[in-house]
Amino acid sequence: MSSSALLVIDVQQSFLQAPYFNASDMPLYQAKQIELITACQRQHIPVIQIFHVEKTGHFSKASGWVKPMDFLPPHHGLVFEKTVHNALLGSGLHEYLQQQGIEHLIISGIRTEQCCETTARVGSDLGYQIDFVTEATLTFAMQHANGQSFSANEIKTHTELVLSGRFARICSIDQLVASWPALALA
């Protein structure tokens, strides 16, 4: 399945410093992220880490927080840095994927509705087949300017709604693994 790659987007210690960080969903997310990485490694699917880097603050290299979260297994693959919300443009990742003949992206990481969703949308527009594994993404509750609050689960549900059938296939890890024989034939 060399035409596939798993993107582990922004799973970095910078988020632990953010004022909106909430650890309540971390145990389940960690388990699912590790399960997805392990499943991809078993299929020899490259696992690519993406880190978000800004000039200042806890996402800056100077902060010392632009490094993998401690729960991630040791990583021996490629690492790309991005300065925008999508992982593909301006990071060198899209060019690398094209050189490698990778046409199928598996999306996981932190913030479901921000960098993960944006990467899925841009990836689809660039012609990649996208599998969005929501259970291996993490986000945080948000409040609208009108005062209405949205839980992390509501935000994930919205992301699934707007991506499904237009930009990505929404799937669980089990559904993804079950589809791999079909992907290998494509």
Side-chain angles (χ1 to χ4, degrees):
M1 222 175 307
S2 61
S3 68
S4 297
L6 169 62
L7 303 186
V8 180
I9 301 171
D10 298 351
V11 184
Q12 62 194 73
Q13 292 184 23
S14 305
F15 279 106
L16 303 176
Q17 317 311 311
Y20 52 80
F21 179 78
N22 181 328
S24 62
D25 292 334
M26 282 296 286
L28 179 58
Y29 163 68
Q30 289 174 357
K32 292 299 183 178
Q33 184 70 76
I34 291 169
E35 181 183 346
L36 179 59
I37 290 169
T38 302
C40 287
Q41 288 173 331
R42 285 187 186 133
Q43 290 294 316
H44 306 288
I45 294 172
V47 177
I48 301 173
Q49 283 187 335
I50 314 297
F51 294 119
H52 187 82
V53 178
E54 295 178 358
K55 291 180 181 178
T56 61
H58 49 269
F59 284 92
S60 72
K61 290 216 160 182
S63 74
W65 299 117
V66 180
K67 56 187 175 184
M69 287 190 173
D70 291 338
F71 77 89
L72 286 175
H75 183 71
H76 306 289
L78 293 170
V79 176
F80 288 85
E81 294 178 353
K82 64 182 184 60
T83 58
V84 296
H85 293 105
N86 81 83
L88 294 160
L89 302 178
S91 64
L93 178 59
H94 174 57
E95 294 78 7
Y96 170 79
L97 296 171
Q98 287 185 311
Q99 291 168 356
Q100 300 303 308
I102 294 173
E103 300 170 346
H104 170 239
L105 301 178
I106 304 162
I107 306 290
S108 70
I110 301 179
R111 291 193 72 172
T112 308
E113 80 293 350
Q114 192 165 314
C115 295
C116 295
E117 181 179 327
T118 304
T119 299
R121 287 171 179 265
V122 170
S124 175
D125 285 349
L126 291 172
Y128 294 98
Q129 177 186 354
I130 306 290
D131 278 331
F132 195 93
V133 185
T134 312
E135 66 186 351
T137 69
L138 178 71
T139 198
F140 312 101
M142 296 174 72
Q143 187 171 17
H144 191 279
N146 70 10
Q148 183 178 1
S149 294
F150 294 88
S151 71
N153 282 336
E154 289 171 323
I155 294 167
K156 284 183 165 193
T157 298
H158 180 268
T159 292
E160 291 179 340
L161 172 69
V162 298
L163 290 181
S164 183
R166 293 188 278 173
F167 298 98
R169 176 178 77 130
I170 307 301
C171 60
S172 67
I173 296 167
D174 289 342
Q175 290 168 328
L176 177 69
V177 170
S179 73
W180 282 342
L183 285 173
L185 297 174

